[in-house]
Amino acid sequence: MSNRSMETEDELLRETTAFWGGVHSRFEWLLDKQAHFYHHRGQLHAMLVHVLKREPNVQLFE
């Protein structure tokens, strides 16, 4: 498994294609993955607070 912090700028700028045809640089895919992760954290927090009426009392965001 590669260490993402060790990738060169050229590797991060290289474009790749997803199985559904989306084309982005590797850097863009990493940003999308992070945004997707935070999106689901927000969904989880909303479900806990608004649906289950429970406050998780943990920091979900920095």
Side-chain angles (χ1 to χ4, degrees):
M1 181 171 220
S2 68
N3 183 347
R4 293 285 179 219
S5 64
M6 298 300 288
E7 291 189 26
T8 67
E9 186 174 343
D10 287 339
E11 289 172 322
L12 289 173
L13 294 176
R14 185 171 55 97
E15 288 191 341
T16 57
T17 304
F19 68 90
W20 63 86
V23 179
H24 294 293
S25 70
R26 293 177 77 188
F27 180 72
E28 289 173 308
W29 285 118
L30 290 170
L31 288 178
D32 286 345
K33 184 166 53 168
Q34 183 180 18
H36 193 85
F37 176 73
Y38 280 108
H39 160 74
H40 283 292
R41 288 178 95 177
Q43 285 184 317
L44 175 60
H45 185 265
M47 294 280 291
L48 289 170
V49 172
H50 301 295
V51 176
L52 299 177
K53 308 294 186 207
R54 312 272 312 249
E55 182 58 49
N57 294 320
V58 295
Q59 185 175 351
L60 294 179
F61 302 97
E62 297 180 48

